[in-house]
Structures are given as structure tokens and as C-alpha cells.
Amino acid sequence: MGWRLTLRPYVLIVPALLLTCGILYPFGLGLYYTLFDFSASKPQPDMVGFENYRAVFTQKAFWNSAWVTVLYAVGAALTESVLGVAVALLLHRATLIGRILEKILILPLMIAPVIAAIIWKLMLQPSVGVVNYLLRPFGLGGVQWTDTPTGALLSSIAVDVWVYTPFVAILALAGLRSLPTSPFEAAAVDGAGWWYTFRRLTLPMLWPYVLVAVIFRFMDSLKVFDIIYALTEGGPGDSTVVLQIRAYLEAIRFQRYSFGISYTIVLWAVVYLAAMVLVKHLGKIQRKAAEVTT
Amino acid sequence: MNTHVHDRRRFLALAAAAAAAPLLTACGAGFGGNDDKSDGSAADDVTGSFDWKREKGTTVKALLNKHPYTDALIADLKSFTERTGIEVEYDVFPEDNYFDKLTVDLSSGRASYDVFMLGAYMVWQYGPPGWLEDLGPWMRNSSATGAEWDQADFFPNLLQADQWSLKAGAPLGQGGQYALPWGWETNVVAYNTEVFGRLGLKPAESFDELTELAGTIKRKAPGAGFDGMYGIAVRGSRSWATIHPGFMTMYARNGLKDFTVDGGKLTPAMNSPEAVAFTEEWARMVKRGGPPSWTSYTWYQCSSDLGAKKAGMLFDADTAAYFQAVKGASPASGKIAFHPGPEGPDGSLATNMWIWSLGMNAKSKKKSASWLFLQWATGKEHLRKSAITHNHIDPVRKSVAEDAAYKDKMRHLPGFLETFETVVDQTKIQFTPQAQFFDATTSWAAALQEIYGGEGAKSVLDGLADDLAGKVG
């Protein structure tokens, strides 16, 4: 009987242990591969230590990709957060139209991002796309959306915003609906205006929810591949080659496996650090929100 | 309590060791695939007289790209099975994903597919790691290859394009035969006869004329009843595929090289003064008469724009125009003509080509059956039937190209046969064979996009050459 009780906790952690191994095994193997000069032209490679990382960091293309990735992630996460909260505030009033809009709003989330990018690619096509067709009466019918570096980056961010703003809106809406009503009633009795109530009550209490959405979106945007690849393939030039696309090109297209994996490990480190900072910040925000509520 | 802690530590240590074991094993095992290939070819095992039924009851797995040539092959597969008793299972993928799928599959070292479609450029990537079976020994073994296969019937430049010594910079046509030509494409100019007639235009005979013509069509065609028509459709996406059709053809006709080879060392040459001037001129032509949103243009868009009367000309694979020109295929069908395109300054009609080839997985466990399949698919009977009753045009075999029924079928397309016959002997792979082909040409396409966007051609191409110099050897 005694040994069964002793053993039970260990048996219970077996699934978690297997899952952990399932995660760590490919990750560890990937890390290990980065220490070699492993490519299609060198299937029996030499150990090169940290040479791949040195090569990554000394490559001009890496810094370009890192900059594009950060621009994309900040641009997309920021826009989605602002728009998502705004939409949530509008939908918070439980009217019939609001409930209908809620259902419609969720549609982009049901479309695979790569499909969304292809749909937008057709819509942004300068001569036959519907976007230029709609803009034509305003004298803007000839915009070549993805032909310039800035246009390509902004178009990619716009597609990301189209797909993921509903995600932020839904999280923010859930947050809004879970807020206590008494502080708002007290503010109304005191004659506080909408803006004052929003700034001093709604936003501080809603912050933890918004920050969760920001963390998810920022981390996901740092890892973006599908939307950009389907829309621009990384062009024009190298203007939208984010780190994931660079890693894919190196590892799969050009078959420099170790070098490509090194890119992904660097990206993992960046995402990990960003997540750590944001999660730490989330704790502080949650404490502040609790103070406002009480 | 202490015992409990001790137990837990010991358990965790054992668990960690168990978890680490496969990792360490994998580390020790090396890097995927296996190295059990022998030096001798499996072709040597085939003896006796040639027999189509030799592998009766076997199933061969094929990986195919979605293409009209593939449709023709699939439509005729029954006759292969009837002749050999071999079943063929196949997967068809669209071109966007096809080569990724093939690359990942081959690099895994498994033999999921025995045979597959590939281009000659892929031989430069898949050949050096040993993923492709050398078909030379199979071709030379009269027990494995029937007399009617008739190697001499292939256009020699096509057979040579899939033959390489696996050494960077070494010319094609030497070394192993890593694939067989099955269908090919030559890059020429196709044009809309209706707009040319209405505007009183003639096909361009020089590159300057082509640039001028593209601009003229873009300016004048909309006023002549061709709403939204631009001058010339050429590819522009950030891909190797942008470089190889019209661009590389005109580049070669100007006597330009991608690399110079000296003692086995490759030096990028796309930043020579002549190459810079040509590239600038190409970007200017696209700006003046090319498609809107050019940087996303693949052959699909180029081809469909010609068919939809959105493009006055197409400088790309003849097949890309052919599929729009056949009766009922598009609004422009019946109004598409073919021309070899502009000559180089010295009259050169050097043309770059694409060959859809068929290759065999070096890890295949069914090589004998796979060879019978390759032999049938590249044989006279199937290719003739595919060319005449399906859309498998641009024959790789001389006998099919000269066949009266084939000529009758193609004769209704103005200029097609004349263009084909004019360029066929001057069409070859104009690139320097080397394993970093895809990196080099993808970066080249990105550079072209930057120049189109207004960056200085010299600085962009110098940067490209610097980058590539460290990668090719």
C-alpha cells in the first residue's frame, strides 16, 4: 500500500514528462544541429561550434530581417490592440446590431491567414482588384499596393490587422463584461463624463485583458510567415523578408539546414525575451487593476 | 521524509536520463538519411533479354506537379499498366508547393516516391547530396532498356541539360544522367494579333524595339478599344522563376553571363558594366510597358493576362502562351501569334529553356520498375500520343516534332512551328550549373525588384555580386 502511495505522484506526472520530452527533443536536436555545418551539400558535417550564430549576426540580411520583423510586430500588435479595444467598447452596448456584428466580426478568425493573404492579394491587385476599384471615384485608383517597400509592409500589416483585430476585440469584450459595475455606478452618480470614466476606470481595469491580447499578438507577429509570404514573398527586394521567411529560405529553399535553424533559434530567443518582459509587466498591471477595483 | 526526497531525486535523475537517451542517440546517429548506397548501380542487376513485364505486380509511387503535361501522363497511365503490369500511385501538388514537398521528401532520405518531376536546375541541387539515381547505367544496359526507346531521338541539348558532373561551374552534358527530358519550354514572345493589327505594329527585332513597343501598347491600346491593356507581361515575383524565362533569354542574347568560371572558381558577373546596363533597361521596359503590381507576377498571371487581353505581349515560355491560345481557352484564343523575340546585338537568338524532366529517387527500393516507368513516359509512343491528343507540346523527341499529325495540330497557331524551329537549336540552359542556383537567382530577382523600385542598378548588383561571391565556389 505504502509503495503505491509513494509511486502515485510519479505516475501522474508521466504524461507531462512525455509531453516535455516531446517538446524538448526536437528543440534540443535543433540546437545541436546549429553547432554543425550541415547542408545538402554537406550531409556529413563538421562541428563548427557557434560559427553559424556568428555568421547570422554578421550578415547584413539578418539585421534587415530583424528590423522588418520588429516593425511588423510592433505595427500589427499596436494597431490590433487599439482597434480591438475600440471595437469592444462599441460592442459592449448589448444592442441587437451589436450582437449581430459580434458574430460577423469573428469571421476573419475562421479563415486561415494564408487564405486571407491570398484573398487580399487579389483585392489589392492594382488593375482588377476591388480596393482600387472602390478608390477610383476618389482619384486613387492606381495605387500599386505591394510594389513599394513601404506599401508592401503596410499592406502585410493591414492583412494581419484584418485577421486578428477580432481576436483582440473578443478578449477585450470578455474583459469589459467581467468588470464590476459598482465603480461605474458610483462614477455616474458623481457625474463623471464618458472620457473621464474610460480613462480612470475602464482602461485601468481592462488593461490586464488587453495586455494578454498584446502578448499573444506581439509574439505571434514576431513569428509571422504565412501572411507575408503569400502576399509579397518577402519582396519587393528584401523589404518584407522577416526572420521566419529568411529561416525558411535558408533551411528549405537553399538547403543550408544548420544556418536556417540558427535563424529560428535566434528568433526563439527574441520571442522568449519579449514574452518574459511582457508577462512581468502583466503582473504589475494586474496588481494596479486590482487596486482600482477595490 | 528524507527517503522520499531521495526517491524523488533519484526518480527525476532516471527520468532525465531516459529522456536524454534518444536525444544523445540521435546526436550520435548523425543527420538524417542513411548512407547504405553502394557504388555499383542497381541497373547491373538486370540481365537477360528486355522484358516490359519484368516487374509485373509492382507498384511505383510518383510525385507530380500540377501541369497540362501531367494531365496528359495521367490520362495515358492505363496503357503503361497494361503493358507492364505495374501500377502507378501518384500525388499531384501545385507548383507553389511542389518543390518544397519534393525537397523535404528527398532530404529525409526516405523513399516515399520512386519517381518524380523535376527541372534541370534541380539536378544541381539534388544531385550533389546523392538523392538522384544516375540513369546512365540503366540507359546503357540493353537488358533494362528496350531498343525502341531510341536515345538518339531526343534533341541532344535536352538530354545534355540533365547530365552533369556535379562540379560547380562544370558544363552540362558530362557526367551522370540524373534525369530524363520529358517536356520542355522555350522562351519566346507571344503577342495579340488583334491589337498589333489595329495599332499597325510589328514584333520587335531588337531589345530597344521591344521596350519601345511595350510602351506604345500601354499608351495606345486602351484608346484603341483594349481597356486596361499594358504592353508586355514578364514575371516579377521574388523568386528564381523570375530570372529564368524572358530575362535570362534576353540577357544571354546580349552575350551576358551569370558567372565567369576560371579554374573551377565561380565569379559573379551580373554586375559587369554591360549586365548593369541591360538590367537597367529591363527594369525600364517593365516600368514603361509592364504589368501593374509586377513584383507579384508569376507565370500564372503573365499567361492569364495575355489570355484576358490585358497584355499585348508575353515574353515567357511558349507553353504559357499556348495554353491561352488553344481554341476556347481564353478571350484571346485565336488571336495569339508567336515570334522568336528580339535578337541580341550580334543577331544571337540564344534562348534559355525549362525542362520538365523525370528523375528516380536514389533510395528507391523499386528501381527496376521505376526505370520501366521512366522509359515508357519518355518513350516515343506515349509522347506522341500526349502531343497529338493532349497538350504536351514542345516535344523532347525529334520524331514527334517532325510528326505530320503533330504539325497539323500546331499549324493553326500563327508562328508557333516557325518560332519553335528557329530557336530549338539555340535553346539551352544559359545559367552556370552550381548548387547555389536557387539562392543566387532568388537574390537576383530581389535585386531586380529593387532596381525597378528606383534603386541604383550598379550599387544593387554590386551588392548582389559581393553576397554571392562568398556563397558559390
Side-chain angles (χ1 to χ4, degrees), chain A residues 147 237-238 248 253 255-256, chain B residues 100 125 238 295 439 449:
Chain A
D147 263 13
D238 283 351
Y248 158 77
R253 279 280 160 93
Q255 296 177 299
R256 294 191 281 261
Chain B
D100 281 351
Q125 192 183 22
R238 193 183 180 283
T295 56
D439 188 358
Q449 290 184 336

Side-chain angles (χ1 to χ4, degrees), chain B residues 139 145-151 154 180 371 374-375 378-379 397:
Chain B
M139 290 157 68
T145 307
E148 78 267 26
W149 188 63
D150 191 5
Q151 186 179 320
F154 285 99
L180 292 178
W371 174 244
L374 295 184
Q375 209 178 142
T378 58
R397 286 181 168 275

Side-chain angles (χ1 to χ4, degrees), chain A residues 41-60:
Chain A
S41 56
K42 214 161 182 201
Q44 291 304 322
D46 302 321
M47 167 81 91
V48 293
F50 293 102
E51 176 57 28
N52 284 314
Y53 293 100
R54 193 199 62 77
V56 165
F57 287 117
T58 53
Q59 213 188 29
K60 212 171 114 191

Side-chain angles (χ1 to χ4, degrees), chain B residues 198 234 320 337-338:
Chain B
R198 210 171 288 176
V234 286
F338 293 80

Side-chain angles (χ1 to χ4, degrees), chain B residues 374-423:
Chain B
L374 295 184
Q375 209 178 142
W376 169 83
T378 58
K380 286 179 189 173
E381 195 178 320
H382 165 69
L383 289 179
R384 183 177 180 277
K385 194 193 289 182
S386 294
I388 294 167
T389 58
H390 295 280
N391 288 324
H392 196 132
I393 58 158
D394 281 2
V396 295
R397 286 181 168 275
K398 288 182 268 187
S399 61
V400 180
E402 286 156 11
D403 191 285
Y406 166 76
K407 287 192 170 182
D408 280 349
K409 181 190 173 180
M410 305 307 288
R411 199 158 279 136
H412 74 285
L413 295 174
F416 185 90
L417 287 173
E418 295 82 348
T419 299
F420 182 83
E421 283 159 12
T422 304
V423 300

Side-chain angles (χ1 to χ4, degrees), chain A residues 4 54 104 107 124 128 140 149 154 191-192 273 289:
Chain A
R4 280 190 185 170
R54 193 199 62 77
I104 295 171
L107 278 177
L124 292 173
V128 294
L140 294 168
L154 289 178
L273 286 173

Side-chain angles (χ1 to χ4, degrees), chain B residues 418-448:
Chain B
E418 295 82 348
T419 299
F420 182 83
E421 283 159 12
T422 304
V423 300
V424 64
D425 293 331
Q426 300 173 75
T427 304
K428 63 172 192 150
I429 289 180
Q430 305 288 347
F431 292 99
T432 307
Q434 47 98 15
Q436 304 303 325
F437 169 81
F438 293 101
D439 188 358
T441 42
T442 303
S443 304
W444 203 348
L448 200 52

